[in-house]
């Protein structure tokens, strides 16, 4: 992850009811605009990220969580080196 210019993504745990995805960011890296159709919570394990929608920007710090709205275009920007969980389902 030291030289990563994109988020590093790996499935941490999953079954038929949920999926936990780990996302690692270097400072300045962006998870580009996308949408989700599955209930998802973003949990910051380490660092600081900014969740952005068209008219909203939310800074999230270690142990903060944010429920991502369904079918809304959004992105995640790393303010510092960060590790997050995406908990889906």
């Amino acid at each position: 992850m030291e030289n990563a210019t994109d988020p590093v993504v790996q499935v941490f745990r999953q079954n038929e009811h949920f999926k936990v995805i780990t996302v690692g960011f270097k400072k300045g890296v962006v998870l580009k605009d996308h949408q989700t159709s599955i209930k998802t919570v973003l949990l910051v394990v380490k660092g600081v990220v900014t969740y952005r929608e068209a008219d909203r920007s939310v800074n999230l710090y270690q142990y903060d969580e944010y429920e991502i709205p369904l079918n809304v275009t959004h992105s995640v920007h790393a303010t510092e080196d960060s590790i997050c969980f995406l908990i889906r389902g």
Side-chain angles (χ1 to χ4, degrees), residues 41-46 63-66 83-87:
V41 173
L42 171 63
L43 171 65
V44 180
V45 177
K46 176 184 175 187
Y63 307 127
D64 285 348
E65 60 182 61
Y66 186 82
I83 297 173
C84 299
F85 285 147
L86 291 170
I87 305 164

Side-chain angles (χ1 to χ4, degrees), residues 3 5 8 19-20 22 34 38 40 43 65 67 73-74 79 87:
N3 298 320
T5 57
V8 177
K19 183 186 281 188
V20 178
T22 305
H34 63 284
I38 299 170
T40 303
L43 171 65
E65 60 182 61
E67 188 167 334
T73 301
H74 62 277
T79 306
I87 305 164

Side-chain angles (χ1 to χ4, degrees), residues 34-40 68-74 88-89:
H34 63 284
Q35 295 184 3
T36 184
S37 60
I38 299 170
K39 182 178 175 182
T40 303
I68 298 171
L70 298 178
N71 304 313
V72 172
T73 301
H74 62 277
R88 302 183 68 179

Side-chain angles (χ1 to χ4, degrees), residues 50-77:
T50 302
Y51 170 88
R52 293 184 184 166
E53 295 175 8
D55 60 350
R56 181 188 319 195
S57 183
V58 180
N59 291 325
L60 300 168
Y61 301 88
Q62 188 173 29
Y63 307 127
D64 285 348
E65 60 182 61
Y66 186 82
E67 188 167 334
I68 298 171
L70 298 178
N71 304 313
V72 172
T73 301
H74 62 277
S75 60
V76 180
H77 301 249

Side-chain angles (χ1 to χ4, degrees), residues 1-29:
M1 188 168 106
E2 280 200 32
N3 298 320
T5 57
D6 293 311
V8 177
V9 179
Q10 183 173 355
V11 175
F12 180 70
R13 291 274 190 266
Q14 70 178 346
N15 68 24
E16 63 275 3
H17 303 291
F18 76 95
K19 183 186 281 188
V20 178
I21 302 167
T22 305
V23 184
F25 296 90
K26 291 298 289 177
K27 179 179 180 178
V29 169

